[in-house]
PDB file of all heavy atoms in Angstrom:
ATOM      1  N   ALA K   1      -7.467  -4.907   5.174  1.00  0.00           N
ATOM      2  CA  ALA K   1      -8.809  -5.449   4.991  1.00  0.00           C
ATOM      3  C   ALA K   1      -9.027  -5.906   3.546  1.00  0.00           C
ATOM      4  O   ALA K   1      -8.491  -5.300   2.616  1.00  0.00           O
ATOM      5  CB  ALA K   1      -9.839  -4.387   5.358  1.00  0.00           C
ATOM      6  N   PRO K   2      -9.813  -6.961   3.356  1.00  0.00           N
ATOM      7  CA  PRO K   2     -10.228  -7.314   2.005  1.00  0.00           C
ATOM      8  C   PRO K   2     -10.925  -6.107   1.371  1.00  0.00           C
ATOM      9  O   PRO K   2     -11.608  -5.352   2.056  1.00  0.00           O
ATOM     10  CB  PRO K   2     -11.212  -8.464   2.217  1.00  0.00           C
ATOM     11  CG  PRO K   2     -10.846  -9.029   3.552  1.00  0.00           C
ATOM     12  CD  PRO K   2     -10.372  -7.852   4.372  1.00  0.00           C
ATOM     13  N   GLY K   3     -10.715  -5.939   0.090  1.00  0.00           N
ATOM     14  CA  GLY K   3     -11.277  -4.782  -0.601  1.00  0.00           C
ATOM     15  C   GLY K   3     -10.269  -3.670  -0.793  1.00  0.00           C
ATOM     16  O   GLY K   3     -10.442  -2.820  -1.653  1.00  0.00           O
ATOM     17  N   THR K   4      -9.189  -3.689  -0.005  1.00  0.00           N
ATOM     18  CA  THR K   4      -8.105  -2.740  -0.229  1.00  0.00           C
ATOM     19  C   THR K   4      -7.135  -3.356  -1.236  1.00  0.00           C
ATOM     20  O   THR K   4      -7.125  -4.573  -1.446  1.00  0.00           O
ATOM     21  CB  THR K   4      -7.344  -2.403   1.070  1.00  0.00           C
ATOM     22  OG1 THR K   4      -6.689  -3.584   1.551  1.00  0.00           O
ATOM     23  CG2 THR K   4      -8.283  -1.856   2.151  1.00  0.00           C
ATOM     24  N   ILE K   5      -6.334  -2.527  -1.849  1.00  0.00           N
ATOM     25  CA  ILE K   5      -5.389  -3.033  -2.855  1.00  0.00           C
ATOM     26  C   ILE K   5      -4.413  -4.012  -2.224  1.00  0.00           C
ATOM     27  O   ILE K   5      -4.213  -5.121  -2.735  1.00  0.00           O
ATOM     28  CB  ILE K   5      -4.674  -1.862  -3.553  1.00  0.00           C
ATOM     29  CG1 ILE K   5      -5.692  -1.079  -4.405  1.00  0.00           C
ATOM     30  CG2 ILE K   5      -3.507  -2.355  -4.408  1.00  0.00           C
ATOM     31  CD1 ILE K   5      -5.205   0.262  -4.904  1.00  0.00           C
ATOM     32  N   ARG K   6      -3.822  -3.634  -1.102  1.00  0.00           N
ATOM     33  CA  ARG K   6      -2.872  -4.543  -0.453  1.00  0.00           C
ATOM     34  C   ARG K   6      -3.570  -5.751   0.150  1.00  0.00           C
ATOM     35  O   ARG K   6      -3.020  -6.862   0.151  1.00  0.00           O
ATOM     36  CB  ARG K   6      -2.080  -3.790   0.613  1.00  0.00           C
ATOM     37  CG  ARG K   6      -1.124  -2.772   0.016  1.00  0.00           C
ATOM     38  CD  ARG K   6      -0.475  -1.946   1.095  1.00  0.00           C
ATOM     39  NE  ARG K   6       0.513  -1.022   0.563  1.00  0.00           N
ATOM     40  CZ  ARG K   6       0.830   0.128   1.153  1.00  0.00           C
ATOM     41  NH1 ARG K   6       0.260   0.473   2.286  1.00  0.00           N
ATOM     42  NH2 ARG K   6       1.738   0.911   0.614  1.00  0.00           N
ATOM     43  N   GLY K   7      -4.781  -5.582   0.657  1.00  0.00           N
ATOM     44  CA  GLY K   7      -5.546  -6.694   1.210  1.00  0.00           C
ATOM     45  C   GLY K   7      -5.940  -7.703   0.158  1.00  0.00           C
ATOM     46  O   GLY K   7      -6.032  -8.900   0.429  1.00  0.00           O
ATOM     47  N   ASP K   8      -6.171  -7.229  -1.050  1.00  0.00           N
ATOM     48  CA  ASP K   8      -6.578  -8.131  -2.132  1.00  0.00           C
ATOM     49  C   ASP K   8      -5.399  -8.749  -2.876  1.00  0.00           C
ATOM     50  O   ASP K   8      -5.528  -9.850  -3.415  1.00  0.00           O
ATOM     51  CB  ASP K   8      -7.454  -7.387  -3.150  1.00  0.00           C
ATOM     52  CG  ASP K   8      -8.833  -7.062  -2.605  1.00  0.00           C
ATOM     53  OD1 ASP K   8      -9.203  -7.571  -1.533  1.00  0.00           O
ATOM     54  OD2 ASP K   8      -9.540  -6.275  -3.266  1.00  0.00           O
ATOM     55  N   PHE K   9      -4.258  -8.051  -2.925  1.00  0.00           N
ATOM     56  CA  PHE K   9      -3.170  -8.497  -3.796  1.00  0.00           C
ATOM     57  C   PHE K   9      -1.842  -8.751  -3.094  1.00  0.00           C
ATOM     58  O   PHE K   9      -0.905  -9.194  -3.741  1.00  0.00           O
ATOM     59  CB  PHE K   9      -2.944  -7.486  -4.926  1.00  0.00           C
ATOM     60  CG  PHE K   9      -4.167  -7.247  -5.761  1.00  0.00           C
ATOM     61  CD1 PHE K   9      -4.775  -6.010  -5.791  1.00  0.00           C
ATOM     62  CD2 PHE K   9      -4.721  -8.279  -6.514  1.00  0.00           C
ATOM     63  CE1 PHE K   9      -5.905  -5.789  -6.557  1.00  0.00           C
ATOM     64  CE2 PHE K   9      -5.855  -8.062  -7.284  1.00  0.00           C
ATOM     65  CZ  PHE K   9      -6.449  -6.815  -7.300  1.00  0.00           C
ATOM     66  N   GLY K  10      -1.731  -8.479  -1.810  1.00  0.00           N
ATOM     67  CA  GLY K  10      -0.442  -8.623  -1.138  1.00  0.00           C
ATOM     68  C   GLY K  10      -0.436  -9.685  -0.068  1.00  0.00           C
ATOM     69  O   GLY K  10      -1.473 -10.055   0.473  1.00  0.00           O
ATOM     70  N   VAL K  11       0.764 -10.167   0.250  1.00  0.00           N
ATOM     71  CA  VAL K  11       0.968 -11.105   1.353  1.00  0.00           C
ATOM     72  C   VAL K  11       2.141 -10.630   2.202  1.00  0.00           C
ATOM     73  O   VAL K  11       2.015 -10.471   3.402  1.00  0.00           O
ATOM     74  CB  VAL K  11       1.222 -12.552   0.838  1.00  0.00           C
ATOM     75  CG1 VAL K  11       1.530 -13.482   1.999  1.00  0.00           C
ATOM     76  CG2 VAL K  11       0.020 -13.067   0.060  1.00  0.00           C
ATOM     77  N   ASP K  12       3.294 -10.388   1.580  1.00  0.00           N
ATOM     78  CA  ASP K  12       4.491  -9.963   2.301  1.00  0.00           C
ATOM     79  C   ASP K  12       4.620  -8.445   2.311  1.00  0.00           C
ATOM     80  O   ASP K  12       4.333  -7.786   1.299  1.00  0.00           O
ATOM     81  CB  ASP K  12       5.752 -10.554   1.654  1.00  0.00           C
ATOM     82  CG  ASP K  12       6.002 -11.984   2.065  1.00  0.00           C
ATOM     83  OD1 ASP K  12       5.566 -12.383   3.163  1.00  0.00           O
ATOM     84  OD2 ASP K  12       6.651 -12.710   1.292  1.00  0.00           O
ATOM     85  N   ILE K  13       5.111  -7.905   3.415  1.00  0.00           N
ATOM     86  CA  ILE K  13       5.276  -6.460   3.551  1.00  0.00           C
ATOM     87  C   ILE K  13       6.250  -5.909   2.507  1.00  0.00           C
ATOM     88  O   ILE K  13       6.081  -4.793   2.022  1.00  0.00           O
ATOM     89  CB  ILE K  13       5.708  -6.084   4.992  1.00  0.00           C
ATOM     90  CG1 ILE K  13       5.508  -4.591   5.234  1.00  0.00           C
ATOM     91  CG2 ILE K  13       7.133  -6.527   5.274  1.00  0.00           C
ATOM     92  CD1 ILE K  13       5.610  -4.202   6.696  1.00  0.00           C
ATOM     93  N   GLY K  14       7.237  -6.699   2.119  1.00  0.00           N
ATOM     94  CA  GLY K  14       8.213  -6.267   1.125  1.00  0.00           C
ATOM     95  C   GLY K  14       7.727  -6.377  -0.308  1.00  0.00           C
ATOM     96  O   GLY K  14       8.431  -6.004  -1.238  1.00  0.00           O
ATOM     97  N   ARG K  15       6.529  -6.888  -0.497  1.00  0.00           N
ATOM     98  CA  ARG K  15       5.914  -6.999  -1.822  1.00  0.00           C
ATOM     99  C   ARG K  15       4.453  -6.555  -1.693  1.00  0.00           C
ATOM    100  O   ARG K  15       3.528  -7.296  -1.957  1.00  0.00           O
ATOM    101  CB  ARG K  15       5.978  -8.437  -2.361  1.00  0.00           C
ATOM    102  CG  ARG K  15       7.374  -8.991  -2.536  1.00  0.00           C
ATOM    103  CD  ARG K  15       8.147  -8.281  -3.648  1.00  0.00           C
ATOM    104  NE  ARG K  15       9.458  -8.864  -3.854  1.00  0.00           N
ATOM    105  CZ  ARG K  15      10.560  -8.492  -3.205  1.00  0.00           C
ATOM    106  NH1 ARG K  15      10.515  -7.542  -2.294  1.00  0.00           N
ATOM    107  NH2 ARG K  15      11.717  -9.063  -3.476  1.00  0.00           N
ATOM    108  N   ASN K  16       4.285  -5.301  -1.273  1.00  0.00           N
ATOM    109  CA  ASN K  16       2.932  -4.817  -0.992  1.00  0.00           C
ATOM    110  C   ASN K  16       2.326  -4.000  -2.135  1.00  0.00           C
ATOM    111  O   ASN K  16       1.398  -3.236  -1.939  1.00  0.00           O
ATOM    112  CB  ASN K  16       2.875  -4.067   0.338  1.00  0.00           C
ATOM    113  CG  ASN K  16       3.693  -2.797   0.349  1.00  0.00           C
ATOM    114  OD1 ASN K  16       4.260  -2.384  -0.660  1.00  0.00           O
ATOM    115  ND2 ASN K  16       3.743  -2.157   1.501  1.00  0.00           N
ATOM    116  N   VAL K  17       2.865  -4.133  -3.334  1.00  0.00           N
ATOM    117  CA  VAL K  17       2.273  -3.714  -4.603  1.00  0.00           C
ATOM    118  C   VAL K  17       2.297  -2.214  -4.871  1.00  0.00           C
ATOM    119  O   VAL K  17       2.549  -1.797  -5.990  1.00  0.00           O
ATOM    120  CB  VAL K  17       0.824  -4.261  -4.747  1.00  0.00           C
ATOM    121  CG1 VAL K  17       0.202  -3.875  -6.071  1.00  0.00           C
ATOM    122  CG2 VAL K  17       0.780  -5.755  -4.540  1.00  0.00           C
ATOM    123  N   VAL K  18       2.015  -1.382  -3.863  1.00  0.00           N
ATOM    124  CA  VAL K  18       1.863   0.058  -4.097  1.00  0.00           C
ATOM    125  C   VAL K  18       2.484   0.885  -2.976  1.00  0.00           C
ATOM    126  O   VAL K  18       2.638   0.423  -1.851  1.00  0.00           O
ATOM    127  CB  VAL K  18       0.378   0.459  -4.225  1.00  0.00           C
ATOM    128  CG1 VAL K  18      -0.217   0.016  -5.530  1.00  0.00           C
ATOM    129  CG2 VAL K  18      -0.436  -0.065  -3.070  1.00  0.00           C
ATOM    130  N   HIS K  19       2.781   2.127  -3.338  1.00  0.00           N
ATOM    131  CA  HIS K  19       3.188   3.138  -2.361  1.00  0.00           C
ATOM    132  C   HIS K  19       2.200   4.283  -2.478  1.00  0.00           C
ATOM    133  O   HIS K  19       1.749   4.607  -3.576  1.00  0.00           O
ATOM    134  CB  HIS K  19       4.596   3.664  -2.674  1.00  0.00           C
ATOM    135  CG  HIS K  19       4.907   4.932  -1.941  1.00  0.00           C
ATOM    136  ND1 HIS K  19       5.402   4.945  -0.665  1.00  0.00           N
ATOM    137  CD2 HIS K  19       4.739   6.231  -2.308  1.00  0.00           C
ATOM    138  CE1 HIS K  19       5.550   6.208  -0.278  1.00  0.00           C
ATOM    139  NE2 HIS K  19       5.151   7.003  -1.250  1.00  0.00           N
ATOM    140  N   GLY K  20       1.870   4.906  -1.362  1.00  0.00           N
ATOM    141  CA  GLY K  20       1.020   6.091  -1.383  1.00  0.00           C
ATOM    142  C   GLY K  20       1.467   7.093  -0.350  1.00  0.00           C
ATOM    143  O   GLY K  20       1.894   6.720   0.748  1.00  0.00           O
ATOM    144  N   SER K  21       1.386   8.354  -0.689  1.00  0.00           N
ATOM    145  CA  SER K  21       1.756   9.421   0.238  1.00  0.00           C
ATOM    146  C   SER K  21       0.926   9.330   1.507  1.00  0.00           C
ATOM    147  O   SER K  21      -0.268   9.035   1.467  1.00  0.00           O
ATOM    148  CB  SER K  21       1.520  10.787  -0.407  1.00  0.00           C
ATOM    149  OG  SER K  21       2.278  10.934  -1.578  1.00  0.00           O
ATOM    150  N   ASP K  22       1.567   9.611   2.655  1.00  0.00           N
ATOM    151  CA  ASP K  22       0.872   9.504   3.938  1.00  0.00           C
ATOM    152  C   ASP K  22       0.388  10.842   4.484  1.00  0.00           C
ATOM    153  O   ASP K  22      -0.265  10.889   5.516  1.00  0.00           O
ATOM    154  CB  ASP K  22       1.732   8.777   4.964  1.00  0.00           C
ATOM    155  CG  ASP K  22       3.052   9.489   5.245  1.00  0.00           C
ATOM    156  OD1 ASP K  22       3.288  10.588   4.716  1.00  0.00           O
ATOM    157  OD2 ASP K  22       3.856   8.927   6.012  1.00  0.00           O
ATOM    158  N   SER K  23       0.725  11.947   3.814  1.00  0.00           N
ATOM    159  CA  SER K  23       0.263  13.267   4.242  1.00  0.00           C
ATOM    160  C   SER K  23       0.318  14.206   3.040  1.00  0.00           C
ATOM    161  O   SER K  23       0.973  13.905   2.035  1.00  0.00           O
ATOM    162  CB  SER K  23       1.142  13.820   5.371  1.00  0.00           C
ATOM    163  OG  SER K  23       2.428  14.155   4.869  1.00  0.00           O
ATOM    164  N   LEU K  24      -0.340  15.330   3.165  1.00  0.00           N
ATOM    165  CA  LEU K  24      -0.318  16.316   2.088  1.00  0.00           C
ATOM    166  C   LEU K  24       1.098  16.828   1.852  1.00  0.00           C
ATOM    167  O   LEU K  24       1.528  16.989   0.707  1.00  0.00           O
ATOM    168  CB  LEU K  24      -1.267  17.470   2.419  1.00  0.00           C
ATOM    169  CG  LEU K  24      -1.555  18.462   1.313  1.00  0.00           C
ATOM    170  CD1 LEU K  24      -2.021  17.778   0.048  1.00  0.00           C
ATOM    171  CD2 LEU K  24      -2.575  19.485   1.776  1.00  0.00           C
ATOM    172  N   GLU K  25       1.852  17.044   2.924  1.00  0.00           N
ATOM    173  CA  GLU K  25       3.232  17.519   2.805  1.00  0.00           C
ATOM    174  C   GLU K  25       4.103  16.488   2.090  1.00  0.00           C
ATOM    175  O   GLU K  25       4.908  16.832   1.227  1.00  0.00           O
ATOM    176  CB  GLU K  25       3.819  17.848   4.185  1.00  0.00           C
ATOM    177  CG  GLU K  25       3.125  18.977   4.902  1.00  0.00           C
ATOM    178  CD  GLU K  25       1.780  18.607   5.530  1.00  0.00           C
ATOM    179  OE1 GLU K  25       1.529  17.403   5.790  1.00  0.00           O
ATOM    180  OE2 GLU K  25       0.972  19.531   5.737  1.00  0.00           O
ATOM    181  N   THR K  26       3.944  15.228   2.455  1.00  0.00           N
ATOM    182  CA  THR K  26       4.697  14.158   1.801  1.00  0.00           C
ATOM    183  C   THR K  26       4.308  14.061   0.331  1.00  0.00           C
ATOM    184  O   THR K  26       5.162  13.889  -0.541  1.00  0.00           O
ATOM    185  CB  THR K  26       4.458  12.810   2.508  1.00  0.00           C
ATOM    186  OG1 THR K  26       4.864  12.925   3.875  1.00  0.00           O
ATOM    187  CG2 THR K  26       5.242  11.689   1.854  1.00  0.00           C
ATOM    188  N   ALA K  27       3.022  14.194   0.046  1.00  0.00           N
ATOM    189  CA  ALA K  27       2.551  14.130  -1.345  1.00  0.00           C
ATOM    190  C   ALA K  27       3.201  15.225  -2.180  1.00  0.00           C
ATOM    191  O   ALA K  27       3.683  14.961  -3.285  1.00  0.00           O
ATOM    192  CB  ALA K  27       1.030  14.254  -1.393  1.00  0.00           C
TER     193      ALA K  27
END
């Protein structure tokens, strides 16, 4: 969605700008 980091700055899945943990365990 617009307003998200990837929505505002990304186009290709392989250049999606950021990584973020998907769970507390992963974090």
Side-chain angles (χ1 to χ4, degrees):
T4 65
I5 292 167
R6 291 174 176 153
D8 289 349
F9 302 116
V11 176
D12 279 334
I13 196 167
R15 299 292 183 271
N16 65 5
V17 182
V18 287
H19 165 86
S21 300
D22 61 4
S23 70
L24 190 53
E25 296 77 22
T26 301

